[in-house]
Amino acid sequence: MARTAVLGRLNWQLGNVAELVQETPRVASLVFDVPAWPGHLAGQHVDVRLTADDGYQAERSYSIASAPEDPRLAITVERLDDGEVSPYLVGEVRKGDKIELRGPIGGYFVWRGGDDRPLLLVAGGSGIVPLMAMIRHRTAGKSTTATKLLYSSRSEDDIIYKAELDALAAVGDGLTVAHCLTRTQPPGWRGYARRIDRAMLEEVAWPKAQNPIIFVCGPTPMVEAVAGHLVDMGFDAASIKTERFGPTGG
Amino acid sequence: MTVQQSDLKLDGNAIAGLLREIFTMEMTTAESTCAGCHKVHAVGQVEVYMNAPGVVVRCPACGQVQMRIVKGGGRYWLDLTGIRSLEFSA
Amino acid sequence: MSFISRGFRGKRRDTASSSRVPPGQYVVNDFPVLSAGPTPRVALSEWTFVVEGEIDEPKKWTWEEFRKLPAEEVTKDIHCVTKWTKLDTAWKGVSVDTILEGVETAAEFVMAFSYGGYTTNLPLEDVTGGKAWVAYEFDGQPLHPQHGGPARLLVPHLYFWKSAKWVRGLRLLKEDQPGFWESNGYNMYGDPWREQRYWGD
């Protein structure tokens, strides 16, 4: 059974916004300096809390995008038009602003690395974020863990971290990346052009016998469909870790 | 009666912070045995409904309510009666 | 006092005091969807509504029968315990007075119960005298499942968790018993004007 760590009280801290990176038209990364950040594992998240001057508060969770080895903490946020928090984080926040956050949080959906098992990562939309922390951790540790990423986006312009993923895949150290674009594809597109389905997973996934660790992250319907297919394909349910993203503003 | 999957449903990862406030430990790797169907799931895998006056946790196998958590007025109310047993590291 | 986030306003909310907005509430223009579980999908051919409990003969209606009952259109303000208030919401439904017509009972309380297992308790006098409906239309349209359709209880003078979505019956009780939220922190009565959100309020 997996280990849990006694960690004590989680306190709110202030992160200083050191950099803003526009990843796609609707997605940006916020890079923080957090004094006394205790470190984190790839896959964990932070809770962010915003307070208006009349005392109104809103809290949301965001996966950490940066590798544990990175001295700065990054989150990547998709701006939702009818959102309450995301239009503030992606649009209003400036370098030098401070944001209240607490973490790192999570223990189930984490990849530490350091074992022999190959990795299968399946991402839908902003579900790529915690998986990117895993990929960055793999790179920072100079690991050669055999890793396959299957990443579903609406269009090529919506692929988050595209340049970085292309560069990492080109290194040839055991990371392969397969994209699927579900709504529109650029001319000459040779990747997948439909929602992730069983046939696609059969083509991309590791053979069962390789005993991969599998992480699936994205909107609930996608995660459940993919996890269902993987179980039907014979992967051990205990090897499949899932994290569902969705609206939490009440 | 059929049930629509996916509406507003998340998983235990979404309440990792809240559970850490209450238990002072990382709980998503804890394993919970459903009081209804007796199946065991990591807390990270349970169904979580958060868009509500409180948090409702349901068994992913049988849908029964496992936990209810209300935080308000300076207090927490925690109902764990849907969990037969919760196992986590010392 | 918490750190203030520069430039953060949050949802557009009007916290200006108004005689229509209970303490601690803010007005919203959308209609937030809250749920404790998956949205039940009930076929109208299977839907029934019952009155049972402290009653000589339980009453039961099919959807067709229920729709033949005299219905009213009402416009009300609604107040959710999660602090949003929505003004002038338009509903159509059957008054609980109509549903309980001819019922003789020693009960002083009801438990409303729903498809999907939700329950909420109320004093009988808070669902009678023109204060409550079983509503099946919102804003001129059939009530959407996300908002409790085919039919929900509507009790606008109490916090909206008392307006049970997907309602399928009322159980008449001699003594008050806590429902789903009332048994885990929420107030047995729930008057928004006295801010009765939690136990002991």
Side-chain angles (χ1 to χ4, degrees), chain C residues 31-77:
Chain C
F31 194 171
V33 175
L34 276 70
S35 185
T39 302
R41 293 294 203 246
V42 188
L44 296 179
S45 54
E46 293 171 15
W47 186 95
T48 58
F49 190 89
V50 302
V51 180
E52 57 184 42
E54 288 291 327
I55 185 175
D56 287 333
E57 282 236 19
K59 301 178 78 171
K60 184 171 181 173
W61 294 266
T62 62
W63 181 255
E64 269 189 37
E65 291 165 344
F66 196 80
R67 289 302 303 263
K68 292 199 171 99
L69 294 172
E72 299 172 6
E73 291 183 4
V74 296
T75 298
K76 297 289 178 187
D77 299 339

Side-chain angles (χ1 to χ4, degrees), chain A residues 51 54 84 88 92 97 250, chain C residues 2-3 5-8 11 13:
Chain A
T51 308
D54 64 358
E84 180 180 32
Y88 172 77
E92 177 62 45
D97 278 340
Chain C
S2 260
F3 172 80
S5 313
R6 182 200 61 75
F8 175 64
K11 294 191 236 260
R13 66 196 178 282

Side-chain angles (χ1 to χ4, degrees), chain C:
Chain C
M1 174 63 169
S2 260
F3 172 80
I4 306 289
S5 313
R6 182 200 61 75
F8 175 64
R9 274 225 64 221
K11 294 191 236 260
R12 286 179 145 247
R13 66 196 178 282
D14 176 8
T15 48
S17 66
S18 147
S19 59
R20 290 173 70 179
V21 183
Q25 300 288 108
Y26 58 84
V27 176
V28 298
N29 297 314
D30 61 348
F31 194 171
V33 175
L34 276 70
S35 185
T39 302
R41 293 294 203 246
V42 188
L44 296 179
S45 54
E46 293 171 15
W47 186 95
T48 58
F49 190 89
V50 302
V51 180
E52 57 184 42
E54 288 291 327
I55 185 175
D56 287 333
E57 282 236 19
K59 301 178 78 171
K60 184 171 181 173
W61 294 266
T62 62
W63 181 255
E64 269 189 37
E65 291 165 344
F66 196 80
R67 289 302 303 263
K68 292 199 171 99
L69 294 172
E72 299 172 6
E73 291 183 4
V74 296
T75 298
K76 297 289 178 187
D77 299 339
I78 59 179
H79 314 292
C80 181
V81 74
T82 63
K83 305 203 167 165
W84 57 263
T85 277
K86 192 166 168 62
L87 302 176
D88 298 319
T89 60
W91 304 87
K92 181 174 176 181
V94 178
S95 167
V96 174
D97 293 305
T98 303
I99 289 167
L100 295 178
E101 208 162 275
V103 167
E104 292 196 6
T105 179
E108 295 184 358
F109 299 95
V110 299
M111 184 75 81
F113 54 98
S114 301
Y115 291 102
Y118 185 76
T119 55
T120 186
N121 57 302
L122 304 108
L124 186 57
E125 67 176 18
D126 283 89
V127 295
T128 50
K131 297 191 218 73
W133 296 263
V134 173
Y136 49 77
E137 273 183 31
F138 170 73
D139 224 17
Q141 300 292 318
L143 186 61
H144 193 281
Q146 285 209 320
H147 285 298
R152 74 178 300 161
L153 188 61
L154 174 66
V155 190
H157 70 285
L158 298 176
Y159 280 121
F160 218 50
W161 89 73
K162 298 281 184 183
S163 291
K165 300 208 280 193
W166 314 298
V167 73
R168 64 187 181 96
L170 297 174
R171 189 169 303 122
L172 297 165
L173 305 170
K174 280 205 182 127
E175 286 175 18
D176 206 3
Q177 285 174 25
F180 185 88
W181 288 120
E182 297 84 358
S183 58
N184 199 66
Y186 281 100
N187 195 277
M188 287 289 266
Y189 185 62
D191 178 359
W193 296 98
R194 287 180 284 163
E195 248 191 307
Q196 295 176 332
R197 298 179 199 266
Y198 306 107
W199 288 2
D201 280 351

